[in-house]
Amino acid sequence: MKLFGKVALCLLAAALAGYLFLVDYPRMMDKLSSVETTEATESQETDSQSADENEQVDEIVSYVDAATQVAALEEELEQLYQQYSATSVALCFEQTGEVVYDDIYPALTEQGETGTIVFTNGLLTGDNYQVMTDEFRTMMDNGWSYAIGGDDSLELTGTNAENAAAWQTSLETYMKNIRTRTGVVPTVYCFREGEYQSDYEAILEADGFTAIRYFAEDAEDDDGGSDLQKIVGIRLTENTQAETVLETLKAYPGAALLARVVAADATDEESWITLETYLSLLAELRSSDNVTITTLDAAIEAAADEEQSNLRAEIQEKEGELAEWKAQSGAD
């Protein structure tokens, strides 16, 4: 009986153990799995937090580097600005009719300015409603100058050599006539848009010219094969904004501002400008510290200043770098 009781007790214990195993094992595994999952999640959160912190550190370092670069570039630019002179601009008028002496000349004289008139297409003083010779001489005696330009009557349709020969003949005939009429020798030749050819520079040098004016797009064809000084022309029209002119002038130590001034009700030509608009535009340019209004000779001399040209290029490069670093640092 005692033996039977012991056996029964053992069987009961085994059954209980089996029951507990079957019931608690899944719970135990769930708990174990939960612990492992929690540890893994905590590890992931720790890794993520570490990555976020590293990213924040990188951002701070990047910001500090950008801010340092901004400060350094601003200091460099300030020094360069102090070395760089204001752009010298000359006031040029591609017209020689009565409006020059009757309107433009007195208006600029009142403001203490002088200008340059450009005779084009073989025009002479006193002919075809042009400024009279005595009026012209009065302007020259009071600080004005003059230049000559293109010839619409010359059709350049032959070979380059034939064209150059025809152009030289036309030029020399015109120079002889204008010298006879005015007693003043022209030394600046003004090419119009699309008219410039480097082949003509040797002719101009041989005929006593010292400088030429062309436009930025034509300057790309300049092979630098002569000693002629060069100045870029910028045309002013009724729709020209002072901000646009000032922005363009940043690229040049010297430039010629070109205008064809007319009465307010004279024409709707896009390339022309009324005297009122011209004087208003001139006042805005004059008020800028970056512009100096001067004579054509002085503007040409400034344009030929290699040191200032190189300085201007360096300033533009630094300004570009500064803009990029400011964008990276979030600075205004």
Side-chain angles (χ1 to χ4, degrees):
M1 186 68 179
K2 289 181 179 179
L3 179 62
F4 178 78
K6 290 180 178 180
V7 171
L9 185 59
C10 288
L11 290 175
L12 179 61
L16 180 60
Y19 172 80
L20 291 173
F21 176 80
L22 292 174
V23 173
D24 287 348
Y25 180 75
R27 295 181 193 169
M28 292 170 62
M29 293 303 294
D30 287 344
K31 288 182 179 179
L32 180 60
S33 176
S34 175
V35 169
E36 291 177 349
T37 301
T38 301
E39 290 177 349
T41 301
E42 290 176 350
S43 176
Q44 291 176 355
E45 289 177 350
T46 301
D47 291 343
S48 177
Q49 182 177 2
S50 177
D52 290 341
E53 289 175 353
N54 289 337
E55 186 176 348
Q56 290 175 359
V57 170
D58 290 341
E59 288 178 357
I60 293 172
V61 171
S62 177
Y63 174 81
V64 171
D65 286 346
T68 301
Q69 288 291 339
V70 166
L73 284 168
E74 286 179 336
E75 184 176 349
E76 284 185 59
L77 277 169
E78 184 60 34
Q79 294 175 355
L80 291 174
Y81 288 144
Q82 291 176 4
Q83 299 174 48
Y84 184 70
S85 303
T87 299
S88 296
V89 299
L91 309 179
C92 298
F93 302 91
E94 290 192 317
Q95 60 198 125
T96 47
E98 296 173 348
V99 67
V100 170
Y101 187 78
D102 293 342
D103 300 315
I104 299 174
Y105 172 61
L108 289 187
T109 298
E110 185 176 344
Q111 298 186 1
E113 309 286 4
T114 60
T116 298
I117 53 178
V118 182
F119 287 89
T120 61
N121 198 29
L123 295 172
L124 300 171
T125 59
D127 291 347
N128 302 322
Y129 305 103
Q130 301 306 297
V131 60
M132 301 302 293
T133 302
D134 59 340
E135 296 171 340
F136 170 84
R137 288 174 177 161
T138 297
M139 295 172 69
M140 299 301 108
D141 290 342
N142 284 283
W144 281 63
S145 62
Y146 88 103
I148 64 174
D151 189 344
D152 289 337
S153 65
L154 185 60
E155 295 183 5
L156 302 180
T157 57
T159 65
N160 286 342
E162 291 171 343
N163 285 341
W167 189 78
Q168 183 172 14
T169 298
S170 174
L171 174 66
E172 290 176 349
T173 298
Y174 179 44
M175 287 180 64
K176 178 182 178 180
N177 291 337
I178 200 165
R179 280 199 303 264
T180 299
R181 186 69 61 92
T182 66
V184 183
V185 178
T187 59
V188 180
Y189 188 88
C190 297
F191 286 99
R192 292 175 296 191
E193 292 99 328
E195 189 182 68
Y196 167 78
Q197 292 188 43
S198 58
D199 294 344
Y200 293 164
E201 290 192 19
I203 296 173
L204 291 168
E205 281 191 292
D207 286 337
F209 286 86
T210 60
I212 64 172
R213 183 218 70 199
Y214 49 23
F215 289 82
E217 58 271 24
D218 295 324
E220 298 174 359
D221 299 325
D222 184 358
D223 59 9
S226 76
D227 293 328
L228 290 171
Q229 294 179 306
K230 316 291 175 63
I231 189 168
V232 168
I234 300 172
R235 187 172 299 285
L236 308 181
T237 71
E238 189 71 13
N239 297 319
T240 301
Q241 300 298 314
E243 294 80 4
T244 303
V245 179
L246 290 171
E247 187 64 28
T248 303
L249 289 175
K250 286 183 178 180
Y252 307 105
L257 301 183
L258 314 177
R260 295 171 181 165
V261 177
V262 293
D265 58 351
T267 182
D268 292 327
E269 291 281 349
E270 291 183 359
S271 62
W272 293 22
I273 184 172
T274 63
L275 183 58
E276 180 181 4
T277 300
Y278 181 82
L279 294 176
S280 176
L281 182 59
L282 189 60
E284 291 187 66
L285 297 178
R286 191 187 292 113
S287 65
S288 171
D289 293 334
N290 299 320
V291 172
T292 297
I293 299 175
T294 185
T295 64
L296 181 60
D297 286 344
I300 290 173
E301 184 177 351
D305 190 327
E306 186 174 349
E307 181 179 347
Q308 287 293 305
S309 295
N310 293 337
L311 188 58
R312 179 67 263 174
E314 185 177 359
I315 287 174
Q316 288 181 309
E317 181 181 352
K318 295 293 183 184
E319 287 176 336
E321 291 179 19
L322 178 60
E324 292 177 3
W325 282 110
K326 279 188 172 182
Q328 185 171 333
S329 69
D332 293 332

